[in-house]
Structures are given as C-alpha cells and as structure tokens.
Amino acid sequence: MARNPMLILVNPWIHDFAAYDLWSKPMGLLMLASVLRGQGYELRLVDCLDVHHPDMQRYKNLHAPKRRDFGTGKFWKQIISKPEPLKPIDRPYSRYGIHPDIFRQELEKAPRPDAILVTSLMTYWYPGVFETISIAKEIHPDVPVILGGIYARLCTKHAREKSGAHYIVDSASPDSLLNLLKQLGPEAHPPSAPSFHPYPAFDLLRRLEYICILASTGCPYRCRYCASDFLFPAFHQRDPEEVFPEIVYWYQNYGIKDFAFYDDALLVGAEKHFIPLMEEVVKTGIRVRFHTPNAIHIRVVSKGIAHLMKKAGFQTIRIGLETADFDLRRKLDNKISQGEFERGVQNLLKAGFHPSQIGAYILVGLPGQSVESVLDTINFVEANDIMPYLAEYSPLPHTDLWEEAINASEYDIQNEPLFHNNTLLPCWDESKRARMPELKRKVREVRERLVACSTQNLFVDAH
Ligand code: SF4
C-alpha cells in the first residue's frame, strides 16, 4: 500500500510584551491532530513554546523559565526588536519559546513533509506566526504551508495578504482542512484498527504536566466583548460519559493529576453535564486537581455545586465577573445579576475553598469604562474576600463591541492587529492608561493580604 502522507504541525512562537503559561496548550491543533491521525496521516509536532526542550540548556545567556504550581509558569524568552507600529511603546518585547535555531533543527530532522500546518491564537501575536511560517518555508521551500487558528479566523484578510502561508483555513470544522489536504494529495488511508486514543493528541507534546479538557464548545451567553459566538456559533456539550473516560485515560496512562477546563461555559446545564461528570470523579475516587482558567459562571454555583467542586478536587477557580458596575454591565452582557456573585462566592467559601483559590477576572480598558469603575470593582471583589485579577481588554473583530472599540481607540485597530494588544489598553486614553500602575498596585495588595490570611488560617488549622 502507498505510504501515508506526513504533516508537520507547528505551535508558533508568541511575540509580545509579556506571556505566561497558564495551562496554555494549542488545544485546537491537538484536536485536529487527533482527527488527522484517525484519517491515517503521519504527524510530527513542533512546539515552539516547549518549555522542556533539552537543547535550550545550551543557551547559557538565557534564564531557564521558572515553573510554578500545577504545571503553570514562565516560557523561555529572548528579547527581540519591536515591530514598527509598536516602536513608541517603552517596554521590552520578546519572542517567547524555543530558540529559532532549535526550531530550524526540528524542521530539518523531520523527513520532507507533504504539508506544514501552523496554528495561531491571539490576533496581535501574528509576528510570531509569520516568523514561524517564514522559517518553515526556508527549510522546506516546496512544501505547502497552511495557516489556521484564531488569528486566521478573526483577521482572515490580514492573514491572506501578509502571513506568507500558501493557504488559510478560516473554519472551525476540520472538514475544510481535510478537503484541502485531499486536493494537495497524496491521499491518506485510515487505519483499519485505530491504535490511538480519540482525544486531543497531547501525547505528541514532549512532557506532559497537565491536560486541558474541553467538555463543551461555544457559549450560550453573547457578551459584547467576546468572540466565542463567532468562533463557535453553536453551544455544544459533550456527554459526561465521554468526558470522564478522557480524564481517566490521562490519569491512568500518563499519571496526570492536573486538568484545566478550557470550556467557556462549563457549568451551564450543570444538572445534565457538570454534576454527573464530577459525581463520577468523586465516586471512583481518582485523586486529581481541576482548574478553570477560562472562568466559570458564578450564578450557577449553588451550595451543592460548590461542595461537589471541593470534593472532586478543584484547586483554581476563576470567575468571569468583569465588572461590578451594573450600569456598564447592562451594555455589555447579562451573565451576572446583582446578588449572584456574592451568593456564589459565599457558597464556594463555605464549601471549604480558601479565598486564595478563588479569583475574579475584572475587565480593564473597555470603551467608555472609567478608572473609578474598575477601582470600585476591585473593592467589591475584596469585600467578598476573594482574589481580584485584572484582565486587560483586547478589542476583537467580529465582536459586537468592535465598532465602539474602533471609535474609542486612538490606535488604528481596524487595520493593524498589533494594536489589539491588551498591554496597550487600546480603548483607553493616555490619562486613564497612566493610572494602570495604581490599579495593579491595588490588586497586588488585596491578593497579598488574602494569601497571608490563607497562610495564617492554614497554620491555625494545622495546629
Ligand atoms: S460568558 Fe464568557 S465565554 Fe460566554 S460569551 Fe460571555 S465572555 Fe464569552
């Protein structure tokens, strides 16, 4: 039988002012890898964000990234020159990930592929994607390069005109890519008896510290600042009977203890999804830890759900509060009504979570938002005894708030995705941006106080 085609899958670098590995894995690419493997394609994955690449040790001038609890931590980084539009910003800019020489070696090591697939994430990270594509074309000049992922979907025209990729896939469905690969040939032959698990292909990564789980795609809410609706127009929840074996698979075969839910709406419809899933976890007694970096909807956190979360092993709980300014909120979303946040947080605290395990994301830099509104929200979170986390707003095409963002911004966000960078607070003016250090200081103080309290309580509990 003819050989199966071989593909190189690339998770590109991040070029930014700051980046942190908060359970960051290329989930879309790994899901696609699973589908491609099932179709018979042979795969090589090159992860430019690989924190554990052994060859990085030879760069003595680079500091090894500090890793923290539960598999999170820093990436390798090298300071690079800023792209022209960001030159006026007085902050260092870095390439996060492995050294370009190592990337070249990884590409050279692989036999000549039939195509190279590059994913993308934040719109303003496109320079890292372009650098990846350019090197891939240099090493394999006659191989088609296909770009997909979130940047390619949100800024398709920009990607078509500027990325250098031969093809752009702007659909969430793997079918468009499979059709394109068929046209490019050669044809893949699905194995008669699949030898791989059906889950996202985390096993292609070098060293697994945690697994990301997607128990649903999309979100039934339609918050005006969020692109979930565009990226996943339908809200789809997987059967808990499918999700549970996935957790057990990684736990039993790879010894994974930490699982980060990537869901946008993990707790929606909890009776039929989250509750049976977690009851199964508790019943079987597997000792795992769960994290919710994408935030949960606090309005759904009843006493029962809070206790179940505690029993099942949740460690890191993030809540999408965004703002406690209900006049502003009415213009943005309807995911929390007054009183729901306080009630849900109390349920979590009473279930036994430490305040330092629960954090509320607060959006900063929205069009029309005042600094005082953010300060009030920080105070509100502090009054509820949990940790505030600032989430700087990044304006995104295809969101409902996009036109307002364009009107509010001094930057040309319409034509230059680099200006979507949340570090710039692109929809605030200079006078508001100047108060960002004050907001960050305030948040830091609240968090330090709560961590100190938790440590004290732990000390008292232990005695
Ligand atoms: S609830 Fe969260 S994921 Fe859903 S639309 Fe709003 S911000 Fe997006």
Side-chain angles (χ1 to χ4, degrees):
M1 193 169 58
R3 74 168 179 94
N4 268 328
M6 204 281 273
L7 308 172
I8 296 183
L9 274 50
V10 184
N11 185 30
W13 287 292
I14 295 171
H15 288 194
D16 202 344
F17 298 103
Y20 190 78
D21 177 7
L22 193 69
W23 299 289
S24 314
K25 288 286 177 270
M27 188 66 163
L29 190 68
L30 298 177
M31 288 167 78
L32 195 59
S34 174
V35 173
L36 291 167
R37 213 151 55 173
Q39 294 290 314
Y41 288 93
E42 287 192 21
L43 305 178
R44 293 284 167 95
L45 176 77
V46 183
D47 181 11
C48 290
L49 297 181
D50 185 356
V51 181
H52 303 294
H53 199 297
D55 294 351
M56 282 303 288
Q57 301 301 337
R58 69 175 190 243
Y59 296 95
K60 301 291 176 213
N61 57 335
L62 300 178
H63 295 297
K66 276 202 185 115
R67 303 299 292 167
R68 304 196 58 187
D69 294 344
F70 313 131
T72 64
K74 295 192 174 182
F75 295 113
W76 287 99
K77 80 167 178 179
Q78 303 129 69
I79 293 184
I80 54 172
S81 67
K82 279 174 265 203
E84 204 50 44
L86 298 179
K87 285 264 159 46
I89 310 299
D90 187 20
R91 281 187 62 164
Y93 191 74
S94 300
R95 175 196 299 110
Y96 290 87
I98 56 175
H99 195 280
D101 290 346
I102 295 183
F103 180 52
R104 282 193 172 82
Q105 283 165 24
E106 290 289 338
L107 291 177
E108 280 161 355
K109 264 199 305 213
R112 183 192 173 283
D114 292 284
I116 299 175
L117 275 50
V118 180
T119 190
S120 61
L121 202 60
M122 307 303 277
T123 56
Y124 50 87
W125 287 347
Y126 76 77
V129 176
F130 289 11
E131 189 184 15
T132 309
I133 292 171
S134 154
I135 295 178
K137 285 167 73 180
E138 177 196 314
I139 307 289
H140 294 292
D142 51 351
V143 171
V145 176
I146 305 170
L147 172 63
I150 291 179
Y151 154 72
R153 294 191 61 206
L154 291 178
C155 300
T156 310
K157 185 167 173 285
H158 188 273
R160 277 193 211 295
E161 289 171 1
K162 305 194 188 246
S163 69
H166 300 100
Y167 302 94
I168 306 291
V169 174
D170 63 352
S171 154
S173 157
D175 293 347
S176 331
L177 176 71
L178 291 173
N179 289 337
L180 174 60
L181 289 172
K182 256 187 217 151
Q183 283 168 31
L184 295 173
E187 205 182 329
H189 305 279
S192 46
S195 54
F196 293 108
H197 61 79
Y199 311 125
F202 278 90
D203 50 283
L204 294 175
L205 295 167
R206 186 178 308 278
R207 186 169 126 197
L208 288 181
E209 293 169 293
Y210 57 85
I211 290 290
C212 308
I213 296 278
L214 204 47
S216 60
T217 45
C219 176
Y221 291 92
R222 298 280 182 265
C223 304
R224 295 188 63 221
Y225 42 79
C226 179
S228 178
D229 182 25
F230 174 79
L231 294 170
F232 302 100
F235 177 48
H236 169 73
Q237 292 178 294
R238 293 170 61 204
D239 189 329
E241 288 187 15
E242 247 180 62
V243 183
F244 179 67
E246 183 174 342
I247 295 169
V248 172
Y249 175 83
W250 296 111
Y251 174 76
Q252 284 183 341
N253 295 292
Y254 288 80
I256 299 296
K257 299 262 185 330
D258 288 289
F259 293 85
F261 280 106
Y262 265 26
D263 297 59
D264 284 337
L266 179 64
L267 300 185
V268 169
E271 294 296 326
K272 289 200 175 130
H273 294 273
F274 182 77
I275 294 176
L277 175 63
M278 287 304 138
E279 280 176 343
E280 202 58 30
V281 169
V282 172
K283 200 167 77 194
T284 44
I286 56 171
R287 299 189 57 88
V288 289
R289 298 180 288 248
F290 293 110
H291 313 274
T292 62
N294 274 9
I296 54 167
H297 292 100
I298 192 69
R299 65 163 37 147
V300 193
V301 180
S302 60
K303 281 183 191 154
I305 287 184
H307 276 100
L308 186 57
M309 289 173 83
K310 182 71 187 156
K311 275 202 268 180
F314 276 76
Q315 290 289 326
T316 314
I317 300 177
R318 295 288 174 267
I319 300 162
L321 170 65
E322 325 308 358
T323 180
D325 175 346
F326 279 84
D327 286 337
L328 176 63
R329 156 144 271 139
R330 264 186 287 280
K331 297 182 207 147
L332 297 172
D333 65 50
N334 67 353
K335 63 185 178 189
I336 303 183
S337 307
Q338 256 161 341
E340 289 177 335
F341 181 84
E342 296 91 319
R343 198 167 46 244
V345 167
Q346 274 308 307
N347 288 339
L348 289 169
L349 291 170
K350 283 188 185 146
F353 288 102
H354 281 282
S356 60
Q357 293 179 296
I358 314 168
Y361 290 134
I362 300 172
L363 270 174
V364 188
L366 290 159
Q369 184 186 33
S370 68
V371 176
E372 280 62 38
S373 158
V374 180
L375 274 170
D376 288 348
T377 304
I378 299 171
N379 290 332
F380 172 76
V381 173
E382 182 180 18
N384 279 279
D385 271 332
I386 61 163
M387 312 271 273
Y389 287 89
L390 297 179
E392 289 96 338
Y393 168 65
S394 168
L396 293 176
H398 304 287
T399 58
D400 212 25
L401 209 58
W402 179 237
E403 289 301 320
E404 262 173 71
I406 293 171
N407 293 333
S409 185
E410 294 165 0
Y411 295 99
D412 182 9
I413 58 172
Q414 213 168 358
N415 294 305
E416 180 45 85
L418 285 171
F419 294 141
H420 304 170
N421 194 318
N422 59 356
T423 302
L424 306 180
L425 292 168
C427 295
W428 267 12
D429 62 24
E430 195 46 53
S431 66
K432 290 189 199 170
R433 272 183 231 135
R435 293 186 62 191
M436 195 60 194
E438 179 192 341
L439 295 173
K440 284 188 174 164
R441 197 166 48 246
K442 171 86 185 149
V443 158
R444 204 168 40 243
E445 283 165 10
V446 174
R447 292 217 298 251
E448 281 169 4
R449 187 181 63 72
L450 285 171
V451 169
C453 282
S454 302
T455 316
Q456 244 171 34
N457 289 344
L458 279 173
F459 185 76
V460 171
D461 289 350
H463 289 77

